[in-house]
Amino acid sequence: MTDFEVSLSYEPADQQWGESAPLSMHNSGAVIHLAESADIMRTVAVAARTLDNLNLKQVKLCGDWSFDQQWTFAMSYTRARSPGTIKWADTDDKSRLENHYAAMCFTRQLVNDTPEDLSPENLASRAADWLKELGGEHVNVSMTTGEALKDAGWMGIYNVGRGSERPPVLLEVDYNPTGDPQAPVDAVLVGKGITFDSGGYSIKSSEGMLDMKCDMGGAATVTGALGLAITSGLKKRVTLLLCCAENLISGHAYKLGDVITYKNGVTVEVVNTDAEGRLVLADGLLRAGELGTPLIIDAATLTGAAMVALGKDYHGVFSMDEQARNKMLDAARAENEKFWPLPLEPFHKNRCPSAFADTANSVAQKGGGGGGASNAAGFLARFVNPEGKGWVHLDLAAAYQGGATAELPVGATAKGIRSIARMIQDF
């Protein structure tokens, strides 16, 4: 196969390609012109999308490319269905790029798979198998499934998932490269793994349900991040917890007005079965607390309110621990990923009041009312230590594109895997 060569130039394109054209063609490929670009990475991304739309089988990056320029090209060039392959530029970054790209592709594939193919058990098994492949003997896996969740007291995952014929799962993956079974756990990653979200009895509209295969984007993102950290030489002990369920309607599904009692004694009235993500994450956070770790990061496609605030460009960052929040933002800046802080104060714990339980799981109002993303984070704050020390909540507004844009293909983005991998390495 003849390579389609793509190079960078800081000279303007010939006039025949148009004024300030970002892209020109020649016999063996294309040139991306950065000369007059105010935003070089956006120019690379837009050019990559243009080339991807040509349905090329393979491209070769030629000449002088930085790591981030190649990564940006790959993020934009790699479409969801039958993507073309990329040959990296001849630089010292090849091995690092291959590891990053593998984590990106794994993350995107999980999110883009059909909800029929990706049941809760399938999500858990695929995440575990990939991490075992990367971590070998350092990886140990346990799964709590179906009725065993109720027996173990993981009532959030159990109740959200019990309406489906395909059972819910709590996956626990222990990556321990120290060789010491008594080594402390340095960090815990918790991911929302709702493999399809109908909304339950608070049912979504048809168009609102179309992209709900992506509601396990948090689980995919933290799995991709841990895999990336492992291949980057992670020496710390890290536990991954995936809270996996299908939120469906049946005669056995949970209902509005139900009260769920959690392991820590907190009672929760269900006022919206479409606010299910926080119910399953609560179990994951409780389990993370049992492990005595100094750092907990949870990630979820949790609220539409985060997308209203941030669009689909940034992930929302919530923490009551200023140091942890700042370190998360520093990690994102170092990895050139867009994260943005949103408010979380102790009073947000009380923003979902209930007359029948300690709290409701939302406000009985469309979209969760004003400040919905912060209120959801406040709900989760009930399931970590009272001061929220060492806990960071990520609302992944930028995890999925319902349609292609000038910069990104349709579907999963895998944005965030780099920042989370750096955070658990540097914290």
Side-chain angles (χ1 to χ4, degrees):
M1 181 189 301
T2 302
D3 292 332
F4 185 94
E5 298 179 351
V6 183
S7 59
L8 301 177
S9 173
Y10 289 87
E11 298 296 326
D14 291 342
Q15 285 297 312
Q16 70 194 58
W17 297 103
E19 187 175 351
S20 302
L23 191 67
S24 66
M25 303 288 185
H26 54 80
N27 288 341
S28 56
V31 178
I32 301 173
H33 296 274
L34 307 176
E36 300 181 33
S37 173
D39 186 340
I40 286 176
M41 293 307 175
R42 185 177 189 280
T43 299
V44 171
V46 170
R49 290 299 313 128
T50 302
L51 295 174
D52 186 39
N53 286 330
L54 300 177
N55 291 318
L56 302 168
K57 297 289 186 184
Q58 182 169 284
V59 297
K60 178 178 174 58
L61 306 185
C62 300
D64 187 16
W65 290 71
S66 71
F67 175 90
D68 279 317
Q69 287 168 342
Q70 293 185 79
W71 176 252
T72 298
F73 183 93
M75 289 277 284
S76 299
Y77 177 76
T78 307
R79 60 186 177 271
R81 186 166 175 261
S82 303
T85 58
I86 302 171
K87 288 187 176 180
W88 308 109
D90 190 15
T91 68
D92 294 336
D93 293 322
K94 273 187 176 180
S95 177
R96 184 178 170 216
L97 279 162
E98 287 169 359
N99 290 338
H100 277 63
Y101 192 64
M104 182 193 84
C105 290
F106 178 83
T107 303
R108 286 187 174 185
Q109 183 63 52
L110 271 187
V111 179
N112 288 335
D113 270 359
T114 71
E116 179 61 26
D117 291 336
L118 198 71
S119 68
E121 287 179 296
N122 183 262
L123 169 59
S125 295
R126 285 172 62 180
D129 289 347
W130 185 60
L131 292 172
K132 283 192 288 187
E133 180 183 327
L134 298 178
E137 63 182 9
H138 300 311
V139 173
N140 288 294
V141 173
S142 66
M143 294 187 196
T144 308
T145 305
E147 291 298 315
L149 288 162
K150 184 179 181 181
D151 297 338
W154 303 123
M155 300 305 293
I157 302 171
Y158 172 76
N159 277 284
V160 170
R162 65 187 171 96
S164 173
E165 293 180 355
R166 304 197 290 186
V169 180
L170 173 61
L171 170 69
E172 183 166 333
V173 177
D174 176 29
Y175 174 69
N176 185 7
T178 69
D180 177 9
Q182 302 304 315
V185 177
D186 295 294
V188 177
L189 302 178
V190 183
K192 172 187 171 184
I194 302 298
T195 56
F196 186 74
D197 182 17
S198 72
Y201 280 106
S202 305
I203 193 167
K204 294 178 182 289
S205 65
S206 179
E207 59 272 19
M209 215 182 292
L210 178 59
D211 290 329
M212 282 302 102
K213 64 183 180 182
C214 81
D215 214 20
M216 37 62 64
T221 299
V222 290
T223 303
L226 179 54
L228 174 57
I230 291 171
T231 57
S232 300
L234 180 66
K235 301 301 182 187
K236 295 181 176 181
R237 186 175 188 178
V238 177
T239 297
L240 176 79
L241 299 169
L242 300 188
C243 309
C244 309
E246 281 185 318
N247 186 22
L248 299 181
I249 296 170
S250 76
H252 192 53
Y254 80 127
K255 299 169 289 296
L256 289 94
D258 284 350
V259 173
I260 300 172
T261 302
Y262 282 87
K263 267 192 168 185
N264 64 346
V266 171
T267 56
V268 177
E269 181 190 8
V270 178
V271 302
N272 185 349
T273 60
D274 196 22
E276 85 297 329
R278 64 200 73 179
L279 295 176
V280 301
L281 284 175
D283 281 335
L285 293 174
L286 287 172
R287 175 56 184 150
E290 291 178 353
L291 295 171
T293 179
L295 174 64
I296 301 170
I297 302 173
D298 79 75
T301 50
L302 199 64
T303 67
M307 285 189 282
V308 171
L310 301 172
K312 293 188 177 180
D313 300 303
Y314 289 83
H315 291 324
V317 180
F318 300 81
S319 184
M320 295 189 296
D321 182 339
E322 185 176 357
Q323 180 184 30
R325 180 178 62 246
N326 290 341
K327 285 191 174 183
M328 186 73 254
L329 293 168
D330 288 344
R333 278 189 289 269
E335 295 294 337
N336 291 314
E337 292 189 316
K338 288 179 166 53
F339 284 50
W340 198 261
L342 290 173
L344 176 59
E345 301 283 352
F347 65 76
H348 283 111
K349 295 180 185 179
N350 301 311
R351 285 294 175 88
C352 299
S354 168
F356 301 96
D358 296 324
T359 182
N361 70 323
S362 185
V363 177
Q365 183 179 342
K366 185 176 176 60
S374 293
N375 296 341
F379 174 89
L380 294 177
R382 290 175 173 270
F383 300 92
V384 296
N385 62 78
E387 296 78 30
K389 183 71 174 175
W391 168 57
V392 177
H393 163 56
L394 302 177
D395 200 328
L396 303 181
Y400 188 86
Q401 299 283 334
T405 69
E407 297 174 51
L408 284 170
V410 66
T413 67
K415 289 181 178 181
I417 61 172
R418 291 175 60 181
S419 301
I420 297 170
R422 177 178 282 264
M423 179 68 166
I424 59 177
Q425 188 75 274
D426 292 352
F427 188 80

